Amino acid sequence: MSKTVIIDPVTRIEGHAKISVYLDDAGEVENARFHVVEFRGFEKFCEGRPMFEMAGITARICGICPVSHLLASAKTGDKILAVQVPPAGEKLRRMMNLAQLTQSHALSFFHLSSPDFLLGWDSDPAKRNVFGLMAADPDLARAGIRLRQFGQTVIELLGARKIHAAWAVPGGVRSPLSDEGRNWIIERLPEARQTTELAISIFKRLLDSELKTEIDVFGKFPSLFMGLVSPDGTWEHYGGHLRFIDSNGEIVADGLSEDNYQDFLGEAVENWSYLKFPYYKPLGYPDGIYRVGPLARLNVCDCIGTEDADRELIEFRHRAGGRVATSSFFYHYARLVEILACIEAIEELVDDPDVVSKRVRSEAGINCLEGVGVSEAPRGTLFHHYQVDENGLIKKVNLIIATGQNNLAMNKTVTQIAQHYIHGNEIPEGMLNRVEAGIRAYDPCLSCSTHAVGQMPLHIQLIQKDGTVIQEKYRH
């Protein structure tokens, strides 16, 4: 008799979701679905607001990655004002985004995911969290916390607040970096680099010993990958153009502009999730599945452009078995390589005299009635699309977030993991944790909330096709 396993909520992600695993009569997995069960409506309630307020408003979408929306919104405002941002303004925006990538990746790796790697998939759920990591390896846990603090403090030094800083604005930024802030960053960079290099070495050692199965079954499948690259193909996180590649490393589309995203991106909906399902239009839905985020960014770029990160990229690709890493488990590895790239880029920027220049903003009025901005958030490519009236009041908003663009891939991943690990009616908690961990590999950001600290409750049910609950477990 067929059954359904419900994992609700999925733990150690930013937001609220559940996973349904559907079993056939023999107890084998037929399918699995990742449901986003919260509805927020940001696109709708922005209507009627002045365009100049949008950066500050949309930053409130998320408490983990407010900088991502702040910058994407400000870049959309640049288009509507039809201005060129001063060099100092662009470099300061870049520095804040590098700090944002650093702090968010550190949160994902050390707080949300490393308890699985370091404490064990089958360890006690009550201790399989950041507090358990503190007890098992206090030095590593402290280093991870300080690495995230580094990124957060750089954001604060630039924008005066760690979270929801209304600093980037259409035309540039509000203020430069102070000399005191610059000196603090210089002093803390060596420690941040040391922690990152330690984390990379630990994770590579685990890949060689304990995590070989996970590489093969945690979302390893062919798909497209999309991300920003610079004109010469170098890794990008702020400017450049969009590129699609396939799983063989062949370029599918290059030189794409965010202004024309509707020509190559479609958005499908399903009745079992509030999260939309973007896809690559030329291949249709769902064949146009693609992935974004750190894994995609390392796959689409020709090089990173900094010495140590480029060396790690070569090894990353060697371990992946080729030009493109198709296992979603390598998202964790890619985050660490990107942190190293960010630290190296901050080291270069902090010596640039423009970061303390006073010429940080271009002034203008409404010159265009529509604009599209794009930036690389920690979880992937983020689009903001605004239409305004002659007074700059918002008429329509469309946001395409990174987590949504990974939606098809996340569903494919949980199905693959469930089919590998779940067999029969008795399902150990560690097996269900592995299914959840497939989602954590993407580090989905579903709302402003986060489950980084503590142990979230979990309610699991085995349900027959007629709705009868035959097995039920609670995690408190």
Side-chain angles (χ1 to χ4, degrees):
M1 186 173 293
S2 59
K3 304 176 183 67
T4 304
V5 181
I6 305 293
I7 305 176
D8 182 13
V10 179
T11 60
R12 283 185 278 135
I13 65 171
E14 289 100 27
H16 302 276
K18 72 175 182 179
I19 296 171
S20 297
V21 181
Y22 302 92
L23 309 179
D24 62 19
D25 293 342
E28 298 300 313
V29 174
E30 283 186 335
N31 191 20
R33 286 177 174 175
F34 175 62
H35 310 264
V36 176
V37 295
E38 58 183 322
F39 178 78
R40 310 189 66 226
F42 250 89
E43 293 166 322
K44 193 64 180 174
F45 65 65
C46 286
E47 293 177 6
R49 305 301 305 179
M51 184 277 297
F52 288 96
E53 293 182 358
M54 287 297 289
I57 291 173
T58 57
R60 266 72 180 174
I61 290 172
C62 180
I64 299 299
C65 45
V67 169
S68 305
H69 291 284
L70 182 72
L71 295 180
S73 181
K75 291 185 72 178
T76 308
D78 299 341
K79 298 276 188 72
I80 293 174
L81 299 185
V83 297
Q84 182 175 345
V85 176
E90 178 174 329
K91 290 174 184 178
L92 288 162
R93 284 182 180 181
R94 283 181 172 274
M95 181 180 285
M96 181 175 272
N97 203 38
L98 292 165
Q100 161 69 5
L101 290 167
T102 298
Q103 70 86 11
S104 182
H105 285 352
L107 171 68
S108 175
F109 184 81
F110 288 97
H111 292 65
L112 305 182
S113 294
S114 68
D116 292 324
F117 315 145
L118 301 175
L119 305 179
W121 304 102
D122 302 296
S123 58
D124 181 358
K127 298 179 181 178
R128 194 175 57 225
N129 50 45
V130 67
F131 295 117
L133 183 62
M134 289 176 182
D137 194 335
D139 290 338
L140 180 64
R142 187 179 302 110
I145 291 169
R146 284 180 62 81
L147 178 60
R148 183 173 187 236
Q149 180 194 48
F150 169 77
Q152 289 285 75
T153 304
V154 173
I155 293 169
E156 184 179 25
L157 291 171
L158 290 168
R161 300 177 66 179
K162 293 179 180 178
I163 300 174
H164 304 151
W167 172 76
V169 291
V173 300
R174 294 185 186 278
S175 58
L177 178 66
S178 68
D179 289 331
E180 294 79 8
R182 189 180 191 176
N183 292 334
W184 185 94
I185 295 171
I186 292 171
E187 291 172 2
R188 285 291 296 271
L189 276 166
E191 180 188 347
R193 175 187 280 266
Q194 183 180 19
T195 298
T196 305
E197 291 172 345
L198 173 63
I200 290 173
S201 66
I202 290 172
F203 193 70
K204 288 192 292 191
R205 186 171 69 248
L206 291 171
L207 289 176
D208 291 336
S209 56
E210 301 173 22
L211 298 175
K212 293 182 179 180
T213 300
E214 286 75 8
I215 295 172
D216 291 332
V217 301
F218 274 53
K220 188 173 186 179
F221 50 81
S223 76
L224 299 181
F225 297 88
M226 185 191 77
L228 290 173
V229 293
S230 67
D232 64 358
T234 302
W235 176 82
E236 241 318 340
H237 63 96
Y238 175 83
H241 62 261
L242 293 160
R243 173 186 284 180
F244 280 89
I245 68 164
D246 64 20
S247 295
N248 298 316
E250 297 295 325
I251 295 177
V252 174
D254 203 4
L256 298 174
S257 170
E258 66 273 14
D259 295 334
N260 305 316
Y261 78 93
Q262 291 172 316
D263 293 340
F264 53 86
L265 293 184
E267 296 181 85
V269 294
E270 297 284 357
N271 61 9
W272 43 267
S273 179
Y274 281 122
L275 193 60
K276 291 182 286 189
F277 292 76
Y279 61 95
Y280 182 59
K281 265 188 177 179
L283 295 182
Y285 177 79
D287 294 338
I289 178 175
Y290 67 97
R291 283 176 271 187
V292 296
L295 182 71
R297 288 190 288 262
L298 295 195
N299 281 339
V300 301
C301 73
D302 297 328
C303 65
I304 291 178
T306 59
E307 182 178 358
D308 292 337
D310 270 327
R311 185 182 64 251
E312 289 296 340
L313 178 63
I314 292 171
E315 184 172 351
F316 174 90
R317 289 175 171 171
H318 175 74
R319 287 175 176 273
R323 170 69 172 76
V324 173
T326 59
S327 172
S328 294
F329 194 71
F330 268 57
Y331 268 98
H332 301 297
Y333 191 0
R335 284 186 191 96
L336 296 177
V337 176
E338 282 202 326
I339 294 176
L340 182 59
C342 290
I343 289 170
E344 289 184 289
I346 292 173
E347 287 174 343
E348 294 177 3
L349 276 174
V350 80
D351 287 331
D352 191 318
D354 274 342
V355 298
V356 292
S357 169
K358 305 297 182 184
R359 298 184 179 274
V360 296
R361 183 178 182 179
S362 297
E363 301 284 352
I366 303 299
N367 289 304
C368 299
L369 301 183
E370 189 169 4
V372 180
V374 66
S375 184
E376 288 288 344
R379 290 147 192 87
T381 318
L382 171 66
F383 296 85
H384 279 219
H385 180 188
Y386 306 157
Q387 294 176 6
V388 303
D389 66 14
E390 295 288 348
N391 297 313
L393 298 181
I394 295 291
K395 295 173 62 178
K396 187 177 180 180
V397 174
N398 188 38
L399 308 176
I400 305 181
I401 63 168
T403 295
Q405 294 173 80
N406 281 330
N407 202 2
L408 282 170
M410 289 190 292
N411 278 274
K412 196 174 183 70
T413 295
V414 294
T415 298
Q416 187 181 72
I417 296 172
Q419 288 174 337
H420 182 84
Y421 284 107
I422 296 178
H423 306 283
N425 293 339
E426 291 298 324
I427 305 172
E429 196 278 339
M431 298 297 101
L432 294 174
N433 182 44
R434 286 169 171 84
V435 177
E436 288 188 73
I439 295 299
R440 286 196 289 270
Y442 294 88
D443 189 26
C445 196
L446 308 176
S447 72
C448 297
S449 61
T450 178
H451 301 158
V453 179
Q455 176 60 48
M456 286 296 296
L458 178 65
H459 181 198
I460 305 168
Q461 293 180 318
L462 290 179
I463 306 172
Q464 295 179 354
K465 215 162 194 177
D466 64 3
T468 303
V469 177
I470 63 170
Q471 185 180 355
E472 197 165 26
K473 290 185 178 180
Y474 291 88
R475 179 199 292 165
H476 298 286

